[in-house]
Amino acid sequence: MPELPEVETILRSLEPRVTGRRITSVKVLSPLVANRRPEELVRHLTGQRIHGLRRVGKYMIFDLDSGLMTVHLRMTGRLLYGARPSAHTRVVVGLSRGSLVFDDMRQFGRMEWHAAMPPNITRLGPEPMDVSVTEFCRLLRTRRGAIKPLLLNQTFLSGLGNIYVDESLHQAGIHPLANAAKLSRTKAQRLHAAMVEVLTSAIRAGGSSISDYVDSDGRRGLFQQSHNVYGREGAPCPHCGAAIRRIVVGQRGTHFCPACQKR
DNA sequence: ATCTATTCCTGGCTGC
DNA sequence: TGCAGCCAGGAATAGA
């Protein structure tokens, strides 16, 4: 599933190819993925020039002459450059040169137009690499409950999803159900470092391709080969050899090493 | 205010 | 072999 590293990978390959291009046509094949009636999305986007491309958390933001286009890939979304439409293509955005093809098998993803930055994006918390250790430690103490659901909460911290939360907690040696506010300063510092390190390595590897994720050229990432816990239930922990366990935390599949991540 | 459970969606897997 | 039923999960939403 596309999280911060996957969105960043797509963005880097797309940015030089769409910046300065004009949107010449918009075909909405599935109204589910748009925030308004298809003809409105077409009307707001057509004819606009793309001035730049940014990422905020897991959102891609295309700055236009007037307003902005936001894209969230959720689970199975793909944003491809110049691809041939498939059975799962939901929107095709024709550019003055090339095209953007938004595919999404499960249709959880969204491609929207907004006059200004929408509240769900302005409400997002800082990204792990943009928050200082001191500030991160302070933020942890303001919340109740387990650490894993908190790290998944995008208004607390943005960019992490299920894969990178599990990998970061393993790297920091913290149990997913540990109380966030009661983490020792050492543990909190270790967690901060782990998140930055895991995300940085994942970006370098072009993201994780678990099921559907590919970049804008349709290429898979490599970071799934470096996963220590995610999707590895029963397999040995690379650090200590104990069998990786899978539990459910906050309705999410959660992978951890019972030896390295004691409660 | 903050936290928790439910909903959306469909290909692939499980088991009878 | 065929097919019903379940599972994956990010974020909006409703409820506690």
Side-chain angles (χ1 to χ4, degrees), chain A residues 105-106 246 248 251-253:
Chain A
M105 179 184 79
R106 265 137 94 177
R246 184 183 184 281
V248 174
Q251 296 80 240
R252 294 287 136 73

Short mmCIF file of all heavy atoms in Angstrom, two decimals, chain A residues 105-106 246 248 251-253, chain B residues 8-14, chain C residues 5-9:
data_model
loop_
_atom_site.label_atom_id
_atom_site.label_comp_id
_atom_site.label_asym_id
_atom_site.label_seq_id
_atom_site.Cartn_x
_atom_site.Cartn_y
_atom_site.Cartn_z
N MET A 105 -7.95 -0.48 -8.45
CA MET A 105 -8.81 -1.66 -8.44
C MET A 105 -9.95 -1.51 -7.43
O MET A 105 -11.10 -1.72 -7.74
CB MET A 105 -7.97 -2.89 -8.10
CG MET A 105 -8.75 -4.17 -8.05
SD MET A 105 -7.71 -5.54 -7.52
CE MET A 105 -7.66 -5.29 -5.75
N ARG A 106 -9.62 -1.14 -6.18
CA ARG A 106 -10.64 -1.11 -5.14
C ARG A 106 -11.37 0.22 -5.00
O ARG A 106 -12.30 0.31 -4.20
CB ARG A 106 -10.02 -1.51 -3.80
CG ARG A 106 -10.21 -2.98 -3.53
CD ARG A 106 -8.98 -3.60 -2.97
NE ARG A 106 -9.02 -3.61 -1.53
CZ ARG A 106 -8.05 -4.17 -0.80
NH1 ARG A 106 -7.00 -4.71 -1.39
NH2 ARG A 106 -8.13 -4.18 0.48
N ARG A 246 1.88 -12.33 14.65
CA ARG A 246 0.91 -11.42 14.07
C ARG A 246 -0.30 -11.32 15.00
O ARG A 246 -0.89 -12.34 15.37
CB ARG A 246 0.45 -11.90 12.70
CG ARG A 246 -0.50 -10.94 12.00
CD ARG A 246 -0.99 -11.51 10.68
NE ARG A 246 -1.81 -10.55 9.96
CZ ARG A 246 -3.10 -10.31 10.23
NH1 ARG A 246 -3.69 -10.97 11.20
NH2 ARG A 246 -3.79 -9.44 9.53
N VAL A 248 -3.79 -8.45 16.11
CA VAL A 248 -4.60 -7.36 15.57
C VAL A 248 -4.60 -6.21 16.59
O VAL A 248 -4.92 -6.42 17.76
CB VAL A 248 -6.03 -7.83 15.25
CG1 VAL A 248 -6.90 -6.65 14.82
CG2 VAL A 248 -6.01 -8.89 14.16
N GLN A 251 -7.80 -2.90 14.77
CA GLN A 251 -8.34 -3.47 13.52
C GLN A 251 -7.29 -3.60 12.42
O GLN A 251 -7.65 -3.75 11.26
CB GLN A 251 -9.54 -2.65 12.99
CG GLN A 251 -10.76 -2.63 13.89
CD GLN A 251 -10.66 -1.66 15.05
OE1 GLN A 251 -10.72 -2.06 16.20
NE2 GLN A 251 -10.45 -0.39 14.74
N ARG A 252 -6.01 -3.54 12.78
CA ARG A 252 -4.96 -3.66 11.77
C ARG A 252 -4.08 -4.86 12.06
O ARG A 252 -3.70 -5.11 13.21
CB ARG A 252 -4.03 -2.42 11.79
CG ARG A 252 -4.66 -1.15 11.41
CD ARG A 252 -4.92 -1.10 9.91
NE ARG A 252 -6.24 -0.58 9.62
CZ ARG A 252 -6.58 0.68 9.76
NH1 ARG A 252 -5.71 1.57 10.13
NH2 ARG A 252 -7.80 1.08 9.48
N GLY A 253 -3.73 -5.60 11.01
CA GLY A 253 -2.75 -6.67 11.14
C GLY A 253 -1.44 -6.06 11.63
O GLY A 253 -0.98 -5.05 11.10
P DC B 8 -20.95 0.15 3.35
OP1 DC B 8 -22.26 0.57 2.85
OP2 DC B 8 -20.66 -1.27 3.62
"O5'" DC B 8 -19.83 0.67 2.33
"C5'" DC B 8 -19.77 2.05 1.98
"C4'" DC B 8 -18.41 2.34 1.38
"O4'" DC B 8 -17.40 2.09 2.37
"C3'" DC B 8 -18.05 1.44 0.19
"O3'" DC B 8 -18.10 2.20 -1.01
"C2'" DC B 8 -16.63 0.96 0.47
"C1'" DC B 8 -16.22 1.73 1.71
N1 DC B 8 -15.39 0.96 2.67
C2 DC B 8 -14.21 1.53 3.17
O2 DC B 8 -13.89 2.67 2.80
N3 DC B 8 -13.45 0.83 4.05
C4 DC B 8 -13.84 -0.38 4.43
N4 DC B 8 -13.07 -1.03 5.30
C5 DC B 8 -15.03 -0.98 3.94
C6 DC B 8 -15.77 -0.28 3.06
P DC B 9 -18.68 1.47 -2.31
OP1 DC B 9 -18.75 2.55 -3.32
OP2 DC B 9 -19.85 0.65 -1.97
"O5'" DC B 9 -17.52 0.44 -2.72
"C5'" DC B 9 -16.39 0.91 -3.44
"C4'" DC B 9 -15.38 -0.20 -3.55
"O4'" DC B 9 -14.93 -0.59 -2.25
"C3'" DC B 9 -15.87 -1.49 -4.18
"O3'" DC B 9 -15.60 -1.42 -5.57
"C2'" DC B 9 -15.07 -2.59 -3.49
"C1'" DC B 9 -14.35 -1.86 -2.37
N1 DC B 9 -14.45 -2.49 -1.03
C2 DC B 9 -13.28 -2.90 -0.37
O2 DC B 9 -12.20 -2.76 -0.93
N3 DC B 9 -13.39 -3.46 0.87
C4 DC B 9 -14.60 -3.60 1.44
N4 DC B 9 -14.64 -4.14 2.65
C5 DC B 9 -15.78 -3.18 0.78
C6 DC B 9 -15.67 -2.64 -0.44
P DT B 10 -16.14 -2.57 -6.55
OP1 DT B 10 -16.18 -1.99 -7.90
OP2 DT B 10 -17.34 -3.19 -5.96
"O5'" DT B 10 -14.98 -3.66 -6.50
"C5'" DT B 10 -13.69 -3.36 -7.00
"C4'" DT B 10 -12.76 -4.53 -6.71
"O4'" DT B 10 -12.65 -4.72 -5.30
"C3'" DT B 10 -13.24 -5.87 -7.28
"O3'" DT B 10 -12.10 -6.55 -7.75
"C2'" DT B 10 -13.81 -6.58 -6.07
"C1'" DT B 10 -12.84 -6.09 -5.01
N1 DT B 10 -13.30 -6.21 -3.60
C2 DT B 10 -12.35 -6.42 -2.62
O2 DT B 10 -11.17 -6.51 -2.86
N3 DT B 10 -12.85 -6.52 -1.35
C4 DT B 10 -14.18 -6.43 -0.97
O4 DT B 10 -14.51 -6.53 0.20
C5 DT B 10 -15.12 -6.21 -2.05
C7 DT B 10 -16.56 -6.09 -1.75
C6 DT B 10 -14.64 -6.12 -3.30
P DG B 11 -12.17 -7.49 -9.06
OP1 DG B 11 -12.10 -6.60 -10.23
OP2 DG B 11 -13.29 -8.44 -8.92
"O5'" DG B 11 -10.81 -8.29 -8.95
"C5'" DG B 11 -9.59 -7.56 -8.85
"C4'" DG B 11 -8.61 -8.35 -8.03
"O4'" DG B 11 -9.05 -8.42 -6.66
"C3'" DG B 11 -8.39 -9.79 -8.48
"O3'" DG B 11 -7.01 -10.08 -8.32
"C2'" DG B 11 -9.28 -10.60 -7.53
"C1'" DG B 11 -9.23 -9.76 -6.25
N9 DG B 11 -10.44 -9.79 -5.44
C8 DG B 11 -11.74 -9.73 -5.88
N7 DG B 11 -12.62 -9.73 -4.89
C5 DG B 11 -11.85 -9.79 -3.75
C6 DG B 11 -12.23 -9.83 -2.38
O6 DG B 11 -13.36 -9.81 -1.91
N1 DG B 11 -11.12 -9.90 -1.53
C2 DG B 11 -9.82 -9.92 -1.96
N2 DG B 11 -8.89 -9.98 -1.00
N3 DG B 11 -9.43 -9.89 -3.23
C4 DG B 11 -10.50 -9.83 -4.07
P DG B 12 -6.40 -11.49 -8.71
OP1 DG B 12 -5.04 -11.22 -9.19
OP2 DG B 12 -7.37 -12.25 -9.57
"O5'" DG B 12 -6.30 -12.23 -7.31
"C5'" DG B 12 -5.44 -11.69 -6.31
"C4'" DG B 12 -5.57 -12.50 -5.05
"O4'" DG B 12 -6.89 -12.30 -4.48
"C3'" DG B 12 -5.41 -14.01 -5.23
"O3'" DG B 12 -4.62 -14.49 -4.15
"C2'" DG B 12 -6.83 -14.54 -5.16
"C1'" DG B 12 -7.43 -13.57 -4.15
N9 DG B 12 -8.88 -13.45 -4.18
C8 DG B 12 -9.69 -13.34 -5.28
N7 DG B 12 -10.96 -13.22 -4.99
C5 DG B 12 -10.99 -13.25 -3.61
C6 DG B 12 -12.09 -13.16 -2.70
O6 DG B 12 -13.28 -13.03 -2.97
N1 DG B 12 -11.68 -13.24 -1.38
C2 DG B 12 -10.37 -13.38 -0.97
N2 DG B 12 -10.16 -13.44 0.34
N3 DG B 12 -9.33 -13.46 -1.80
C4 DG B 12 -9.72 -13.39 -3.09
P DC B 13 -3.79 -15.86 -4.30
OP1 DC B 13 -2.36 -15.49 -4.24
OP2 DC B 13 -4.32 -16.63 -5.46
"O5'" DC B 13 -4.18 -16.63 -2.97
"C5'" DC B 13 -4.13 -15.94 -1.72
"C4'" DC B 13 -5.22 -16.45 -0.81
"O4'" DC B 13 -6.51 -16.07 -1.32
"C3'" DC B 13 -5.25 -17.97 -0.66
"O3'" DC B 13 -4.86 -18.32 0.66
"C2'" DC B 13 -6.71 -18.36 -0.95
"C1'" DC B 13 -7.45 -17.03 -0.87
N1 DC B 13 -8.65 -16.94 -1.72
C2 DC B 13 -9.92 -16.85 -1.12
O2 DC B 13 -9.99 -16.87 0.11
N3 DC B 13 -11.03 -16.75 -1.91
C4 DC B 13 -10.90 -16.74 -3.23
N4 DC B 13 -12.02 -16.63 -3.96
C5 DC B 13 -9.63 -16.83 -3.88
C6 DC B 13 -8.54 -16.93 -3.09
P DT B 14 -4.63 -19.87 1.07
OP1 DT B 14 -3.56 -19.88 2.08
OP2 DT B 14 -4.52 -20.69 -0.16
"O5'" DT B 14 -6.01 -20.24 1.78
"C5'" DT B 14 -6.47 -19.45 2.87
"C4'" DT B 14 -7.81 -19.99 3.34
"O4'" DT B 14 -8.84 -19.63 2.38
"C3'" DT B 14 -7.86 -21.51 3.50
"O3'" DT B 14 -8.35 -21.83 4.79
"C2'" DT B 14 -8.79 -21.98 2.38
"C1'" DT B 14 -9.66 -20.74 2.13
N1 DT B 14 -10.16 -20.60 0.74
C2 DT B 14 -11.50 -20.33 0.54
O2 DT B 14 -12.30 -20.22 1.45
N3 DT B 14 -11.86 -20.19 -0.78
C4 DT B 14 -11.05 -20.29 -1.89
O4 DT B 14 -11.50 -20.14 -3.02
C5 DT B 14 -9.66 -20.58 -1.61
C7 DT B 14 -8.69 -20.72 -2.74
C6 DT B 14 -9.28 -20.72 -0.33
P DG C 5 -22.61 -17.25 1.62
OP1 DG C 5 -23.54 -17.80 2.62
OP2 DG C 5 -22.96 -16.05 0.82
"O5'" DG C 5 -21.21 -16.99 2.34
"C5'" DG C 5 -20.55 -18.06 3.00
"C4'" DG C 5 -19.21 -17.58 3.51
"O4'" DG C 5 -18.25 -17.56 2.42
"C3'" DG C 5 -19.23 -16.16 4.08
"O3'" DG C 5 -18.52 -16.15 5.30
"C2'" DG C 5 -18.54 -15.33 3.02
"C1'" DG C 5 -17.54 -16.34 2.45
N9 DG C 5 -17.08 -16.05 1.10
C8 DG C 5 -17.81 -15.58 0.03
N7 DG C 5 -17.12 -15.44 -1.06
C5 DG C 5 -15.83 -15.84 -0.69
C6 DG C 5 -14.63 -15.90 -1.47
O6 DG C 5 -14.47 -15.61 -2.65
N1 DG C 5 -13.56 -16.37 -0.70
C2 DG C 5 -13.64 -16.71 0.62
N2 DG C 5 -12.52 -17.14 1.19
N3 DG C 5 -14.74 -16.67 1.35
C4 DG C 5 -15.80 -16.22 0.63
P DC C 6 -18.53 -14.90 6.28
OP1 DC C 6 -19.00 -15.33 7.61
OP2 DC C 6 -19.19 -13.79 5.56
"O5'" DC C 6 -16.97 -14.58 6.38
"C5'" DC C 6 -16.05 -15.65 6.60
"C4'" DC C 6 -14.67 -15.23 6.13
"O4'" DC C 6 -14.64 -15.12 4.69
"C3'" DC C 6 -14.21 -13.89 6.68
"O3'" DC C 6 -12.96 -14.07 7.33
"C2'" DC C 6 -14.07 -13.00 5.45
"C1'" DC C 6 -13.83 -14.01 4.34
N1 DC C 6 -14.23 -13.55 2.98
C2 DC C 6 -13.28 -13.52 1.96
O2 DC C 6 -12.12 -13.88 2.22
N3 DC C 6 -13.64 -13.11 0.72
C4 DC C 6 -14.90 -12.74 0.49
N4 DC C 6 -15.22 -12.35 -0.76
C5 DC C 6 -15.89 -12.76 1.50
C6 DC C 6 -15.52 -13.17 2.73
P DC C 7 -12.44 -13.00 8.40
OP1 DC C 7 -11.91 -13.73 9.57
OP2 DC C 7 -13.48 -11.96 8.56
"O5'" DC C 7 -11.22 -12.35 7.62
"C5'" DC C 7 -10.19 -13.17 7.11
"C4'" DC C 7 -9.36 -12.40 6.12
"O4'" DC C 7 -10.10 -12.24 4.90
"C3'" DC C 7 -9.00 -10.99 6.59
"O3'" DC C 7 -7.61 -10.92 6.83
"C2'" DC C 7 -9.44 -10.07 5.44
"C1'" DC C 7 -9.73 -11.02 4.30
N1 DC C 7 -10.86 -10.61 3.42
C2 DC C 7 -10.64 -10.39 2.06
O2 DC C 7 -9.50 -10.54 1.60
N3 DC C 7 -11.69 -10.03 1.27
C4 DC C 7 -12.90 -9.89 1.80
N4 DC C 7 -13.89 -9.54 0.99
C5 DC C 7 -13.14 -10.10 3.18
C6 DC C 7 -12.10 -10.45 3.96
P DA C 8 -6.98 -9.73 7.75
OP1 DA C 8 -5.85 -10.30 8.49
OP2 DA C 8 -8.08 -9.04 8.46
"O5'" DA C 8 -6.41 -8.73 6.65
"C5'" DA C 8 -5.34 -9.14 5.83
"C4'" DA C 8 -5.14 -8.15 4.71
"O4'" DA C 8 -6.26 -8.26 3.81
"C3'" DA C 8 -5.14 -6.70 5.19
"O3'" DA C 8 -3.79 -6.29 5.37
"C2'" DA C 8 -5.79 -5.93 4.05
"C1'" DA C 8 -6.56 -6.98 3.27
N9 DA C 8 -8.02 -6.86 3.35
C8 DA C 8 -8.79 -6.72 4.48
N7 DA C 8 -10.06 -6.66 4.24
C5 DA C 8 -10.16 -6.75 2.86
C6 DA C 8 -11.25 -6.74 1.97
N6 DA C 8 -12.52 -6.62 2.36
N1 DA C 8 -11.00 -6.84 0.65
C2 DA C 8 -9.72 -6.95 0.26
N3 DA C 8 -8.60 -6.98 0.99
C4 DA C 8 -8.90 -6.88 2.30
P DG C 9 -3.40 -5.41 6.64
OP1 DG C 9 -1.92 -5.33 6.63
OP2 DG C 9 -4.12 -5.93 7.81
"O5'" DG C 9 -4.00 -4.00 6.27
"C5'" DG C 9 -3.45 -3.25 5.19
"C4'" DG C 9 -4.34 -2.06 4.89
"O4'" DG C 9 -5.63 -2.54 4.49
"C3'" DG C 9 -4.58 -1.14 6.11
"O3'" DG C 9 -4.45 0.21 5.70
"C2'" DG C 9 -6.02 -1.42 6.49
"C1'" DG C 9 -6.60 -1.74 5.12
N9 DG C 9 -7.89 -2.43 5.15
C8 DG C 9 -8.48 -3.05 6.20
N7 DG C 9 -9.65 -3.56 5.91
C5 DG C 9 -9.84 -3.25 4.57
C6 DG C 9 -10.92 -3.53 3.70
O6 DG C 9 -11.96 -4.12 3.95
N1 DG C 9 -10.69 -3.05 2.41
C2 DG C 9 -9.56 -2.38 2.03
N2 DG C 9 -9.51 -1.97 0.76
N3 DG C 9 -8.53 -2.10 2.83
C4 DG C 9 -8.75 -2.57 4.09
#
